[in-house]
Amino acid sequence: MSQAKLRTDRIDLVPLADEHLEHEIELDADPEVMRYLTGRARTREEVEAAHRLRLEAAGRVPGLGFWAGFVAGEFVGWWILEPPERADQGPVEGQAEGQAELGYRLLRRFWRRGLAGEGARELLRHGFEDLGLNRVFAETMAVNAASRATMASLGMTYVRTFHQDWDDPLPGSEQGEVEYAITRDQWLSHRATHT
């Protein structure tokens, strides 16, 4: 199964491709966008390397990967559903299979318009309805209040705080990273009460 093209009321979500590289470079060149990720803008070379890894994500598990998002033909950011990469990600008894990590990154001029949540809701729908996932989780720095609020608005609940070793820790990293998650049953219940 290849990655599907997806659509919300405002966003066209298309599988990430080489034609989107310049958009990714613009996105990662903003230090505010990268504040909780690298703490600084990425160089073109760094984004090119990240782009190759993002494209590879689509080949690891059928149907998962990165999506570039467009509103009225204008690039706004990307969303992702990808398989867990670390041994500690998504460790839930009896659900080793059928899990994916949700993520999103938007250009700053599109922040605070509800687009991150709108695209993420469609990826949750796609993951649970179309791909048969059992659980979706997301991670961010504990101090990233905006991303945590988006996760909560999707019906995702706090799972844990954890700490990673960083060569060059970002401000706030001493408070750790947080994981939020939602199961298919929780998503169905949340959707029924929020539509």
Side-chain angles (χ1 to χ4, degrees):
M1 167 191 293
S2 61
Q3 255 183 286
K5 290 182 179 178
L6 305 172
R7 174 108 180 101
T8 72
D9 287 343
R10 296 183 291 175
I11 310 168
D12 288 306
L13 294 159
V14 298
L16 190 71
D18 283 331
E19 68 195 58
H20 304 126
L21 176 61
E22 294 304 319
H23 297 307
E24 293 172 82
I25 289 169
E26 177 189 6
L27 183 62
D28 287 8
D30 184 340
E32 266 309 295
V33 169
M34 302 303 292
R35 178 179 175 192
Y36 297 114
L37 300 161
T38 61
R40 61 170 179 78
R42 279 188 170 153
T43 66
R44 180 180 191 90
E45 293 74 24
E46 289 172 321
V47 179
E48 287 173 350
H51 172 74
R52 287 189 295 276
L53 294 174
R54 291 170 185 158
L55 293 179
E56 289 173 12
R60 291 200 311 261
V61 174
L64 299 184
F66 281 77
W67 283 262
F70 296 86
V71 172
E74 185 176 3
F75 177 79
V76 297
W78 56 248
W79 285 259
I80 183 173
L81 273 178
E82 71 175 337
E85 294 184 336
R86 299 186 324 266
D88 72 316
Q89 284 185 310
V92 174
E93 189 71 32
Q95 292 191 4
E97 299 298 318
Q99 294 189 72
E101 181 177 9
L102 172 71
Y104 37 83
R105 187 177 304 168
L106 275 67
L107 291 166
R108 192 179 348 170
R109 66 183 174 271
F110 293 103
W111 289 1
R112 295 176 191 83
R113 297 186 189 186
L115 293 170
E118 183 175 327
R121 268 188 294 284
E122 175 58 15
L123 261 65
L124 287 175
R125 185 212 59 76
H126 176 61
F128 290 128
E129 284 187 356
D130 302 338
L131 303 178
L133 295 177
N134 297 314
R135 181 177 184 270
V136 174
F137 65 95
E139 298 175 347
T140 191
M141 287 181 69
V143 295
N144 189 345
S147 191
R148 291 180 74 166
T150 297
M151 293 172 192
S153 76
L154 299 168
M156 301 181 92
T157 56
Y158 169 84
V159 174
R160 65 183 176 129
T161 299
F162 61 99
H163 293 81
Q164 297 188 76
D165 291 325
W166 302 106
D167 292 335
D168 190 14
L170 298 178
S173 61
E174 69 281 357
Q175 294 181 40
E177 306 278 326
V178 292
E179 176 185 333
Y180 280 66
I182 189 168
T183 65
R184 181 186 296 129
D185 289 344
Q186 290 168 333
W187 172 76
L188 287 168
S189 176
H190 180 80
R191 188 176 69 163
T193 59
H194 291 86
T195 48

